[in-house]
């Protein structure tokens, strides 16, 4: 039945081109051939008899937040070349194209090899591409970021996030505890970090550190 409707539509298209569109007689054979070629291609590759099936979006990895779409808690520059590459990468990641997200940041690093934010973003993208698990490549990206700026909070923050998402709660707790110990009391990322650490301690069944633990200044 579906092929009958397809043929009727094809006849209507050809009729519209010939008479309504007033196509010159010399061009009509070419137009008809184009329509028939389209039908032939559909006959070879199309499957009109199959029922429709919505495409399900890929599931996001479970864990302590999304390492890619996280707001970065004031740790990354909002403008400039890094922000542009991160924005493009995030766009790919939100549609499940994690490989393209990582490749975008690799291209950015070719131009700005010492940019900490791009290295951190690459670590996030590689972790997401690995299903939320801290892969050796992701760990290397975070290490490269930390090597370029040991005082920058983003490398340990997102490295801990990737570890937590991958199930290494003790590893995440160790990394985040070190970051908390050197974070100023008024650091914009500190409340979020403390909340995540509290979640980790609850999951691990360990007591949280004293509330008056030093936070640097």
């Amino acid at each position: 039945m579906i092929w009958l409707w397809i043929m009727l539509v094809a006849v209507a298209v050809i009729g519209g081109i010939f008479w309504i569109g007033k196509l010159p007689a010399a061009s009509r054979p070419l137009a008809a051939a184009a329509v028939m070629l389209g039908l032939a291609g559909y006959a070879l590759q199309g499957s009109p008899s199959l029922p429709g099936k919505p495409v399900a979006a890929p599931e996001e990895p479970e864990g302590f937040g999304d390492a890619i779409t996280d707001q970065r808690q004031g740790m990354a520059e909002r403008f400039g070349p890094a922000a542009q590459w991160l924005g493009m990468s995030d766009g790919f990641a939100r549609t499940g194209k994690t490989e393209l997200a990582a490749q975008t940041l690799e291209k950015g690093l070719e131009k700005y090899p010492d940019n900490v934010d791009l290295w951190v973003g690459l670590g996030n993208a590689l972790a997401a591409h690995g299903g939320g698990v801290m892969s050796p490549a992701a760990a290397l990206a975070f290490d490269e970021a930390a090597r370029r700026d040991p005082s920058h909070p983003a490398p340990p923050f997102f490295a801990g996030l990737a570890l937590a998402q991958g199930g290494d709660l003790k590893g995440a707790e160790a990394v985040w505890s070190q970051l908390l110990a050197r974070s100023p009391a008024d650091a914009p990322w500190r409340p979020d970090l403390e909340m995540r650490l509290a979640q980790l301690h609850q999951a691990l069944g360990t007591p949280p550190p004293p509330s008056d633990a030093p936070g640097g200044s």
Side-chain angles (χ1 to χ4, degrees):
M1 185 66 181
I2 187 67
W3 284 108
L4 175 61
W5 286 108
I6 292 174
M7 294 303 297
L8 289 175
V9 170
V11 170
V13 170
I14 294 175
I17 293 175
F18 285 9
W19 290 285
I20 299 177
K22 297 181 179 180
L23 192 69
S27 302
R28 291 178 182 180
L30 182 61
V35 174
M36 297 308 296
L37 182 62
L39 284 175
Y42 184 76
L44 289 174
Q45 298 186 12
S47 300
S49 60
L50 293 179
K53 182 180 179 181
V55 178
E59 293 184 1
E60 296 182 356
E62 296 180 356
F64 291 84
D66 191 331
I68 290 184
T69 58
D70 194 286
Q71 295 302 310
R72 296 188 173 89
Q73 303 298 323
M75 298 181 188
E77 62 179 58
R78 297 180 59 189
F79 306 99
Q84 296 172 9
W85 289 101
L86 287 167
M88 288 189 292
S89 176
D90 287 351
F92 286 128
R94 281 192 291 268
T95 59
K97 299 175 182 177
T98 53
E99 184 175 5
L100 279 176
Q103 290 173 348
T104 298
L105 293 171
E106 288 172 349
K107 288 292 185 181
L109 284 166
E110 290 178 3
K111 297 184 64 176
Y112 308 99
D114 293 323
N115 190 286
V116 175
D117 294 328
L118 290 179
W119 279 110
V120 171
L122 179 60
N124 292 336
L126 290 171
H129 185 59
V133 177
M134 173 76 91
S135 64
L140 178 61
F142 290 126
D143 289 343
E144 288 292 329
R147 185 171 67 84
R148 282 163 172 75
D149 188 352
S151 64
H152 202 298
F157 180 87
F158 286 102
L161 191 58
L163 288 169
Q165 287 180 313
D168 186 1
L169 303 187
K170 290 185 177 180
E173 193 273 340
V175 172
W176 280 345
S177 293
Q178 293 176 6
L179 175 59
L180 183 64
R182 64 178 177 86
S183 295
D186 59 349
W189 62 85
R190 189 178 177 96
D192 182 79
L193 181 61
E194 291 175 336
M195 178 195 70
R196 294 174 190 265
L197 269 171
Q199 292 176 335
L200 280 180
H201 288 130
Q202 183 178 8
L204 291 169
T206 57
S211 59
D212 58 349
S217 58

